[in-house]
Amino acid sequence: MKYQRPFLKWAGGKFRLLPKILHHLPQGEKLIEPFVGSGVVFLNADYERFVLADINPDLINLFRDLKRGKGRFINYCATFFSETNNTEKRFYELRQHFNQLDAGEERSALFLYFNRHGYNGLCRYNRSGGFNVPFGRYKRPYFPGKELEVFAKRAQRAEFRCQSFRTSFNGARRGDVIYCDPPYLPRSLTANFTDYTKQGFSYDQQAELGFLAERAQQKGVTTAISNHDTVVARDIYKKATAMAHFDVQRFISCDGNNRSKAKELLAIYR
């Protein structure tokens, strides 16, 4: 089966794991994603309605502007993909401009530009909220026109919300299905949790996510949660109805030839 790729690059993207994830998602009318990321699960899951959430307003506003603007907005985004804009000097000029912009189509289009022109497709902000990903130095950044068109068409069945995972869980009703792809736990017990929590998702939040899945289960809501397959993760999700385990190939450096197999799990509460 051929799966639809998202238009965004995204750290920890689930494209390679789609067959395994979709296999474990039950039928239902509505899929809720509290950590929507690139939207790759949304693009390939068979539901009538979707509630797609994230705490990053730039991501959600881009999805909303694409849903509303369709082809016109896609054409506008394409204007930023030019040789003139693919220089280090211009990249940093646009980044400075972006950080002074309010929400709107220009900011959304630039967010897509940075996703394809910035280093490794990263999405990162400083403590003041300024986007600070460096220039990526790509010869010809790909403009994902076809992928944007597919997303815009499918987005007509989706509602995009900028909200916390708690709020997303609170809005779930009997028969809904929730898929969670949170920031992952460290792969080893020796990983520095102080550095980890600077990324905005602490151990306590990981544990809360497991608790919310248990509570949702009691309401008749099925939840599936992806994470690294570690001792800590297995403990957090020990009350899950089932747990699937599998390997996934991950990049472990900017060297595309340097890859390793990571162990992942999918905890299912149903």
Side-chain angles (χ1 to χ4, degrees), residues 19-265:
K20 293 178 172 120
I21 292 170
L22 296 177
H23 174 73
H24 289 284
L25 292 182
Q27 291 183 336
E29 287 191 5
K30 183 169 68 179
L31 178 68
I32 299 171
E33 290 194 62
F35 308 88
V36 64
S38 69
V40 67
V41 173
F42 149 69
L43 284 168
N44 293 280
D46 187 19
Y47 294 88
E48 287 299 315
R49 294 186 297 137
F50 299 86
V51 174
L52 308 174
D54 201 276
I55 60 169
N56 184 336
D58 286 324
L59 178 66
I60 296 301
N61 286 333
L62 170 57
F63 290 160
R64 287 173 174 166
D65 286 334
L66 176 56
K67 176 183 177 179
R68 181 171 52 245
K70 304 176 191 174
R72 177 192 57 76
F73 178 70
I74 293 170
N75 291 336
Y76 175 59
C77 290
T79 64
F80 290 92
F81 285 66
S82 65
E83 286 188 25
T84 305
N85 285 338
N86 192 28
T87 66
E88 188 168 5
K89 180 176 182 293
R90 185 60 177 153
F91 178 90
Y92 289 116
E93 287 175 350
L94 288 171
R95 196 180 76 174
Q96 183 178 10
H97 177 61
F98 174 86
N99 285 329
Q100 296 170 349
L101 282 174
D102 293 328
E105 287 194 350
E106 185 181 9
R107 187 174 173 101
S108 292
L110 282 171
F111 186 72
L112 174 59
Y113 162 86
F114 294 128
N115 180 259
R116 290 287 172 173
H117 291 74
Y119 179 76
N120 252 9
L122 293 175
C123 180
R124 192 183 65 194
Y125 302 81
N126 59 31
R127 290 184 178 180
S128 300
F131 189 82
N132 66 353
V133 173
F135 183 53
R137 301 181 187 281
Y138 300 109
K139 286 185 178 179
R140 289 187 188 86
Y142 173 67
F143 179 68
K146 294 296 184 184
E147 293 87 346
L148 283 160
E149 289 175 8
V150 171
F151 195 102
K153 183 177 180 180
R154 194 167 177 82
Q156 305 310 309
R157 294 155 55 186
E159 182 180 350
F160 300 99
R161 299 179 182 175
C162 187
Q163 63 188 26
S164 70
F165 67 93
R166 301 176 194 89
T167 303
S168 295
F169 268 88
N170 288 337
R173 299 293 179 262
R174 179 174 296 275
D176 290 347
V177 179
I178 300 176
Y179 172 66
C180 295
D181 184 22
Y184 275 18
L185 285 156
R187 287 175 62 175
S188 71
L189 292 174
T190 58
N192 189 325
F193 252 102
T194 302
D195 289 342
Y196 169 70
T197 54
K198 284 180 183 176
Q199 304 307 311
F201 210 75
S202 67
Y203 171 84
D204 288 343
Q205 288 172 302
Q206 296 279 2
E208 183 183 2
L209 187 57
F211 168 75
L212 289 172
E214 294 170 31
R215 195 172 70 179
Q217 182 184 20
Q218 296 169 3
K219 294 197 303 183
V221 176
T222 297
T223 302
I225 307 174
S226 291
N227 217 312
H228 280 138
D229 188 358
T230 67
V231 173
V232 175
R234 291 190 186 209
D235 181 63
I236 289 174
Y237 307 132
K238 62 188 174 186
K239 293 186 179 179
T241 311
M243 218 175 284
H245 309 270
F246 31 79
D247 293 332
V248 62
Q249 201 167 60
R250 289 268 186 239
F251 292 104
I252 59 173
S253 77
C254 58
D255 179 2
N257 296 315
N258 193 3
R259 300 184 175 105
S260 71
K261 291 284 187 180
K263 299 285 186 182
E264 293 221 2
L265 63 77

